[in-house]
Amino acid sequence: MSTFIEDMEALVDKVSDWGVDVILDSVEQLTKDGRPFGAVAMSPEIQMEEYMKLHGNPEAFVKYIDSKARDLITQLIEDGIAEEDIASIHPYDIAINFTIEWSYDMEKKMGEQGDSAIYS
Amino acid sequence: MALNAEQREIYESIPEPSVLTRRLQWAVDYWRPRNQYITQMRDALEGLNAIQIPISAQYKAKAIHLYLIAAMLNEKTARFQNMPTAQVIIDDPTDYELVEISTELEQGLNILAYEIERKGDGDVWSRATLDAILIDEGVEKIQMAPAAFWKELSLHDSRALADKAYKHPFQDEMREGYKKEYGAPFRTLYVPLEYFLPIYDGSNLDESFEVEGRSLKACLDNPLFDKDVLAGFPEDSYGGLSTVIPIFHYCNDNYYCYFTTTSSNVTYNTGSNVTKLKPESMSVASELVYLYGYEHGLGRSIYNCIGGRYGGWKTQHNHIESVGKGILEISQAADELGSQVLTGINNRKWPNLKWKVSPEHRPMNPLGKPPEAPEVQPGENIPMWADEDLEPIFRPEEDPEVMWTMSLLERQLSKLGGSSVLTGERQPGVDTGYQHAQQISQAEHIDEKIEEHLRQGAIQRFTIIMLYIRKLGEKVWTHYSEVDANDPKGRKIGKYIPIDPKNLYPLPRIDARVRKPKPIDFMAALRAAREASDERQGKGPLLPDLVLLQELLGRDAPNIDKRLIHIQAQQNKLMESGVLAQKIGQAIGLKLAKKGVPQPTPEAVAGVDPALTQAIQQVAQGQAAGAGGVNPDLLRQVQEKMNNLNMRGGGMLSGDSQPEARVGEMIAGAQGMR
């Protein structure tokens, strides 16, 4: 038989579950087919120019990835999200994935322009 | 008569058949006036009362039954619930455990009230209510039959009882599971009052007989009945369906037995294909013959007599007779007046015409008869001489006596049966809704006695059920479906509620509700509840919420209401506090960060700047290690690319976990664990 205190504990548990459901439902609706915040497309020339600042320089790439990941982490911390929650989405993974895609695109373009033999 | 040992014991525990026969004969004679009255009332209800109309007249008489009794009964029965609702009275409402037990017991009993009707002949309470209103008493019979409803369990128990070394006890979970599946082993049956012949000692129901006409086929099909006794009845051409065997159910405080007698000694009502016992005129000449019996062991009758306005029939006469006879007489007069009016209208609206003919122009025919009446089709023109005329025999004329008489009858009927304001008729001089509601409320007082007696009947119904469970000595399960009180989304759940005999010692005090409050009553109760729960300038409320919910608002399980109120209040607070908005913002941030992140293909990894692959390895071992790490699959691809390029590095990165362990870390991270 439950006491008043047990009832209250159960209530907090149930209501917080309900709150999480509501949040997830809302987020699901709000972010459906959306694009990430802060993703502004640059022109191909500027992109190449930026890329060439990193090209062939591992340390520059490290700094770039680190800065992108740090930007993301900072933004999430500003949103009040706990660090362990931020770690759960692997911000460095995200930054690396974007950089790989970017590098791949740029390398392809460079190859098309005849500069592909730089490292061969 | 060949009885087994068990039946022999029961047979010897009840009075001898010769004694019972004499008691039955007495009961039949004693209750004859009541039964004649009941027959009259039922006939009038069904419009079977004769209306005297002129046999020979110049016009065609029309008889019409106004069914005023049926109309009154409709209106009255509609005020009561189809099923009573039990309320367990708690001695100490501050005892949480007691409140929980009583709520569960209430829920269980209320499901059982429904279940016993489903397993019986259905709609029992409604029919008994109707009888209680019409003839001042309704009767139901509540039986426990584990052998019928828990067949396998019952067989097992008797086998286990006979053989002590029985190896497979049907116990514990298996037993409870079986009982859950098959429900409670109780049923209730409606007994028309005229078939119930009680023998009272003062106001105590000592014993009773119930008369029933059952087909020979049904009797032969019953495995419990002594077939030797039934062998004396010849089978008819319908396989025993049209032969009615009189069955007399004898019941006292501990036993319930079936008897019969030779059918020639009982009077029947014979219709085209129905043969029915006539309790109001029957007589029993020969001795009762025992068929079967069992010990119910309740210490009281299994019949539940539900009183009407005057509390039922404890003797052969009842105050309801004068009311009923008055209603019958007025109803009869109204039927006759209605028939006269209808006849008048009929003859005026479809008139017989009187044709005055001109003797000069239409001479008498040679046989001395007047000329043939003209045949006129609707809409057809007819020529007549100036001194001729064609007119209806009966002309419409205003007759204030009819209106006056009908109004008098209605008024008197209202006084006897209940005010007509209850059926929505507005009384002269009553203009506002408030006055009308006031009149309804006053008119309802006449029915308060009915409500009180029905409530007592409902309490007896629940008491019999509880006594049976105590007698059974084990849990009875009821299946329950309700809105989950702990679920803020209000989802429905089904659950089993047990009624444990342990909770029935001492027998809980029960109250019952038989009438739903009208919306207007509920509004008044709500207003009263709000006033009683006001803070009263710091003095605190006059009554606690639990009492207000239970007693003023008549809620079944007030503790569940309270719990729902708490949940709702907390939900509202949470919504207002902004915590939800904050949490939504955080979740959106996380989701958005992950949204649209590309998943590099092996081709893309192979095509990146080699400096990047070096950088990725470096980041993985450095900065990323403390912030969720890097996907091991990606690192493996990077390593492959570096191997292909014959660059430094390779192998598992120092300080990095095995890929499987990384997956575990990712899951742990996602769950917010360290």
Side-chain angles (χ1 to χ4, degrees), chain B residues 108-120:
Chain B
L109 286 174
N110 289 326
I111 307 159
L112 274 187
Y114 163 79
E115 280 295 312
I116 59 171
E117 296 220 355
R118 189 177 66 80
K119 289 187 170 167

PDB file of all heavy atoms in Angstrom, chain B residues 108-120:
ATOM      1  N   GLY B 108     -13.939  -3.975  -7.063  1.00  0.00           N
ATOM      2  CA  GLY B 108     -14.218  -5.399  -7.256  1.00  0.00           C
ATOM      3  C   GLY B 108     -15.709  -5.688  -7.167  1.00  0.00           C
ATOM      4  O   GLY B 108     -16.272  -6.386  -8.018  1.00  0.00           O
ATOM      5  N   LEU B 109     -16.364  -5.120  -6.166  1.00  0.00           N
ATOM      6  CA  LEU B 109     -17.799  -5.391  -5.992  1.00  0.00           C
ATOM      7  C   LEU B 109     -18.612  -4.828  -7.160  1.00  0.00           C
ATOM      8  O   LEU B 109     -19.579  -5.451  -7.611  1.00  0.00           O
ATOM      9  CB  LEU B 109     -18.292  -4.777  -4.674  1.00  0.00           C
ATOM     10  CG  LEU B 109     -17.877  -5.508  -3.398  1.00  0.00           C
ATOM     11  CD1 LEU B 109     -18.297  -4.718  -2.172  1.00  0.00           C
ATOM     12  CD2 LEU B 109     -18.468  -6.903  -3.330  1.00  0.00           C
ATOM     13  N   ASN B 110     -18.203  -3.662  -7.639  1.00  0.00           N
ATOM     14  CA  ASN B 110     -18.951  -3.061  -8.745  1.00  0.00           C
ATOM     15  C   ASN B 110     -18.787  -3.852 -10.039  1.00  0.00           C
ATOM     16  O   ASN B 110     -19.721  -3.936 -10.836  1.00  0.00           O
ATOM     17  CB  ASN B 110     -18.551  -1.598  -8.936  1.00  0.00           C
ATOM     18  CG  ASN B 110     -19.076  -0.740  -7.810  1.00  0.00           C
ATOM     19  OD1 ASN B 110     -20.159  -1.004  -7.282  1.00  0.00           O
ATOM     20  ND2 ASN B 110     -18.327   0.247  -7.391  1.00  0.00           N
ATOM     21  N   ILE B 111     -17.618  -4.453 -10.211  1.00  0.00           N
ATOM     22  CA  ILE B 111     -17.463  -5.300 -11.399  1.00  0.00           C
ATOM     23  C   ILE B 111     -18.302  -6.561 -11.208  1.00  0.00           C
ATOM     24  O   ILE B 111     -18.949  -7.044 -12.138  1.00  0.00           O
ATOM     25  CB  ILE B 111     -15.997  -5.725 -11.616  1.00  0.00           C
ATOM     26  CG1 ILE B 111     -15.089  -4.514 -11.639  1.00  0.00           C
ATOM     27  CG2 ILE B 111     -15.830  -6.507 -12.896  1.00  0.00           C
ATOM     28  CD1 ILE B 111     -13.659  -4.877 -11.340  1.00  0.00           C
ATOM     29  N   LEU B 112     -18.275  -7.079  -9.984  1.00  0.00           N
ATOM     30  CA  LEU B 112     -19.053  -8.292  -9.731  1.00  0.00           C
ATOM     31  C   LEU B 112     -20.547  -8.049  -9.955  1.00  0.00           C
ATOM     32  O   LEU B 112     -21.243  -8.934 -10.454  1.00  0.00           O
ATOM     33  CB  LEU B 112     -18.825  -8.776  -8.300  1.00  0.00           C
ATOM     34  CG  LEU B 112     -17.615  -9.667  -8.070  1.00  0.00           C
ATOM     35  CD1 LEU B 112     -17.615 -10.212  -6.667  1.00  0.00           C
ATOM     36  CD2 LEU B 112     -17.609 -10.834  -9.050  1.00  0.00           C
ATOM     37  N   ALA B 113     -21.024  -6.858  -9.586  1.00  0.00           N
ATOM     38  CA  ALA B 113     -22.449  -6.552  -9.778  1.00  0.00           C
ATOM     39  C   ALA B 113     -22.805  -6.700 -11.252  1.00  0.00           C
ATOM     40  O   ALA B 113     -23.894  -7.159 -11.614  1.00  0.00           O
ATOM     41  CB  ALA B 113     -22.752  -5.141  -9.308  1.00  0.00           C
ATOM     42  N   TYR B 114     -21.854  -6.318 -12.107  1.00  0.00           N
ATOM     43  CA  TYR B 114     -22.073  -6.457 -13.550  1.00  0.00           C
ATOM     44  C   TYR B 114     -21.904  -7.915 -13.979  1.00  0.00           C
ATOM     45  O   TYR B 114     -22.697  -8.450 -14.741  1.00  0.00           O
ATOM     46  CB  TYR B 114     -21.077  -5.546 -14.287  1.00  0.00           C
ATOM     47  CG  TYR B 114     -20.902  -5.868 -15.739  1.00  0.00           C
ATOM     48  CD1 TYR B 114     -21.842  -5.459 -16.670  1.00  0.00           C
ATOM     49  CD2 TYR B 114     -19.809  -6.596 -16.187  1.00  0.00           C
ATOM     50  CE1 TYR B 114     -21.691  -5.775 -18.004  1.00  0.00           C
ATOM     51  CE2 TYR B 114     -19.657  -6.913 -17.509  1.00  0.00           C
ATOM     52  CZ  TYR B 114     -20.599  -6.498 -18.426  1.00  0.00           C
ATOM     53  OH  TYR B 114     -20.449  -6.817 -19.743  1.00  0.00           O
ATOM     54  N   GLU B 115     -20.848  -8.543 -13.436  1.00  0.00           N
ATOM     55  CA  GLU B 115     -20.527  -9.922 -13.846  1.00  0.00           C
ATOM     56  C   GLU B 115     -21.636 -10.907 -13.481  1.00  0.00           C
ATOM     57  O   GLU B 115     -21.940 -11.808 -14.246  1.00  0.00           O
ATOM     58  CB  GLU B 115     -19.213 -10.370 -13.184  1.00  0.00           C
ATOM     59  CG  GLU B 115     -17.981  -9.843 -13.881  1.00  0.00           C
ATOM     60  CD  GLU B 115     -17.827 -10.400 -15.284  1.00  0.00           C
ATOM     61  OE1 GLU B 115     -17.944 -11.621 -15.452  1.00  0.00           O
ATOM     62  OE2 GLU B 115     -17.620  -9.608 -16.209  1.00  0.00           O
ATOM     63  N   ILE B 116     -22.225 -10.737 -12.290  1.00  0.00           N
ATOM     64  CA  ILE B 116     -23.250 -11.705 -11.872  1.00  0.00           C
ATOM     65  C   ILE B 116     -24.488 -11.586 -12.762  1.00  0.00           C
ATOM     66  O   ILE B 116     -25.202 -12.555 -12.951  1.00  0.00           O
ATOM     67  CB  ILE B 116     -23.632 -11.565 -10.380  1.00  0.00           C
ATOM     68  CG1 ILE B 116     -24.178 -10.181 -10.050  1.00  0.00           C
ATOM     69  CG2 ILE B 116     -22.472 -11.922  -9.482  1.00  0.00           C
ATOM     70  CD1 ILE B 116     -24.757 -10.080  -8.652  1.00  0.00           C
ATOM     71  N   GLU B 117     -24.700 -10.408 -13.315  1.00  0.00           N
ATOM     72  CA  GLU B 117     -25.831 -10.260 -14.242  1.00  0.00           C
ATOM     73  C   GLU B 117     -25.497 -10.895 -15.587  1.00  0.00           C
ATOM     74  O   GLU B 117     -26.328 -11.531 -16.209  1.00  0.00           O
ATOM     75  CB  GLU B 117     -26.173  -8.782 -14.439  1.00  0.00           C
ATOM     76  CG  GLU B 117     -26.641  -8.122 -13.171  1.00  0.00           C
ATOM     77  CD  GLU B 117     -27.786  -7.165 -13.381  1.00  0.00           C
ATOM     78  OE1 GLU B 117     -28.171  -6.927 -14.527  1.00  0.00           O
ATOM     79  OE2 GLU B 117     -28.305  -6.647 -12.374  1.00  0.00           O
ATOM     80  N   ARG B 118     -24.245 -10.700 -16.010  1.00  0.00           N
ATOM     81  CA  ARG B 118     -23.829 -11.279 -17.293  1.00  0.00           C
ATOM     82  C   ARG B 118     -23.905 -12.794 -17.237  1.00  0.00           C
ATOM     83  O   ARG B 118     -24.307 -13.435 -18.197  1.00  0.00           O
ATOM     84  CB  ARG B 118     -22.398 -10.834 -17.610  1.00  0.00           C
ATOM     85  CG  ARG B 118     -21.921 -11.186 -18.993  1.00  0.00           C
ATOM     86  CD  ARG B 118     -20.525 -10.646 -19.231  1.00  0.00           C
ATOM     87  NE  ARG B 118     -19.518 -11.262 -18.407  1.00  0.00           N
ATOM     88  CZ  ARG B 118     -18.965 -12.439 -18.665  1.00  0.00           C
ATOM     89  NH1 ARG B 118     -19.311 -13.112 -19.732  1.00  0.00           N
ATOM     90  NH2 ARG B 118     -18.052 -12.939 -17.864  1.00  0.00           N
ATOM     91  N   LYS B 119     -23.535 -13.346 -16.089  1.00  0.00           N
ATOM     92  CA  LYS B 119     -23.568 -14.805 -15.970  1.00  0.00           C
ATOM     93  C   LYS B 119     -24.958 -15.312 -15.624  1.00  0.00           C
ATOM     94  O   LYS B 119     -25.216 -16.513 -15.679  1.00  0.00           O
ATOM     95  CB  LYS B 119     -22.567 -15.256 -14.909  1.00  0.00           C
ATOM     96  CG  LYS B 119     -21.150 -15.088 -15.377  1.00  0.00           C
ATOM     97  CD  LYS B 119     -20.161 -15.675 -14.443  1.00  0.00           C
ATOM     98  CE  LYS B 119     -18.800 -15.686 -15.102  1.00  0.00           C
ATOM     99  NZ  LYS B 119     -17.724 -15.947 -14.197  1.00  0.00           N
ATOM    100  N   GLY B 120     -25.850 -14.433 -15.234  1.00  0.00           N
ATOM    101  CA  GLY B 120     -27.222 -14.831 -14.948  1.00  0.00           C
ATOM    102  C   GLY B 120     -28.072 -14.616 -16.180  1.00  0.00           C
ATOM    103  O   GLY B 120     -27.642 -14.890 -17.295  1.00  0.00           O
TER     104      GLY B 120
END
